[in-house]
Amino acid sequence: MKKIIFATNNLHKLDELKKIIGNKFEILSLQDIDVHEDIPETGETLAVNAAQKSHFIYDRFHLNCFSDDTGLEVEALDGAPGVYSARYAGEGCSYEDNVNKLLLEMEGKKNRKAAFKTVISLILDGKEYQFEGRVDGSITTEKHGSGGFGYDPVFLPDGFEQTFSEMDPTLKNKISHRGKATAKLVAFLQTL
């Protein structure tokens, strides 16, 4: 089984991605290679941030790796929180803090359209490849469900009546932004 490093310290993302990929590859975390530092994310786009993280690991360890950056883009907020999704309510904030800030910002807004986007940056033998996934939906007026993480309790994907938090994880992983980007990653890896 091929080993590949997922350059993240986010255990929720790691667990979700391992479920999507299944047993096709052995996914190692940063903890597995004894990296405990935070990797900088200073880019203005998801693609730049994803590349920054994968290059950080590859340049130091020369191990094949991939990273992702994900953002929630809300139309009525001019695309915010976008690249700042993880720290929307400030540095060191919780998922709950971010969701509460978003709901406060969305109070009274009729346009609730939003999109979740993920960009995966894969570095294999020094060459970078990128894969993007997107799911369109809307922001609910209150939290629903207890599953998932991040903005899942307030994101209602188009064509569904449940937020990501209310969905069965298998369905969510199939239709989500991360699921779509990961499917492209896996399809690419299987051609090697």
Side-chain angles (χ1 to χ4, degrees), residues 110-173:
K110 296 218 183 308
N111 178 1
R112 304 195 73 86
K113 289 181 187 173
F116 255 131
K117 293 181 184 173
T118 292
V119 175
I120 293 176
S121 165
L122 168 70
I123 299 183
L124 279 182
D125 304 320
K127 185 166 180 186
E128 183 185 7
Y129 307 86
Q130 288 198 347
F131 310 93
E132 185 174 323
R134 174 190 174 114
V135 62
D136 292 300
S138 59
I139 302 301
T140 57
T141 55
E142 57 189 39
K143 299 173 208 165
H144 299 276
S146 58
F149 63 99
Y151 296 95
D152 288 358
V154 295
F155 186 80
L156 182 68
D158 286 350
F160 293 87
E161 294 179 6
Q162 294 178 309
T163 65
F164 273 169
S165 277
E166 296 172 295
M167 274 185 187
D168 176 88
T170 306
L171 175 59
K172 178 199 168 190
N173 291 339

Side-chain angles (χ1 to χ4, degrees), residues 2-142:
K2 290 184 181 175
K3 293 183 179 182
I4 193 162
I5 309 299
F6 182 19
T8 187
N9 284 311
N10 184 323
L11 297 180
H12 292 289
K13 277 187 185 181
L14 180 67
D15 183 54
E16 189 172 89
L17 202 116
K18 281 182 174 181
K19 285 177 183 160
I20 295 169
I21 289 182
N23 58 6
K24 295 176 181 91
F25 297 90
E26 183 181 355
I27 307 298
L28 301 176
S29 69
L30 291 177
Q31 288 181 337
D32 293 330
I33 61 168
D34 210 28
V35 174
H36 302 286
E37 61 194 288
D38 280 333
I39 300 173
E41 290 181 69
T42 57
E44 294 292 318
T45 66
L46 299 174
V48 169
N49 279 345
Q52 199 173 31
K53 291 186 276 188
S54 58
H55 282 282
F56 181 91
I57 294 303
Y58 190 83
D59 293 347
R60 280 159 185 75
F61 301 98
H62 302 287
L63 296 170
N64 291 331
C65 65
F66 67 94
S67 65
D68 82 324
D69 199 25
T70 295
L72 174 66
E73 298 178 357
V74 180
E75 203 172 272
L77 302 178
D78 298 322
V83 293
Y84 304 104
S85 293
R87 52 195 182 280
Y88 190 45
E91 291 297 327
C93 63
S94 67
Y95 292 139
E96 188 84 7
D97 296 333
N98 286 331
V99 170
N100 289 340
K101 178 175 180 178
L102 177 64
L103 288 176
L104 192 64
E105 299 277 330
M106 290 298 290
E107 269 184 22
K109 299 211 184 315
K110 296 218 183 308
N111 178 1
R112 304 195 73 86
K113 289 181 187 173
F116 255 131
K117 293 181 184 173
T118 292
V119 175
I120 293 176
S121 165
L122 168 70
I123 299 183
L124 279 182
D125 304 320
K127 185 166 180 186
E128 183 185 7
Y129 307 86
Q130 288 198 347
F131 310 93
E132 185 174 323
R134 174 190 174 114
V135 62
D136 292 300
S138 59
I139 302 301
T140 57
T141 55
E142 57 189 39

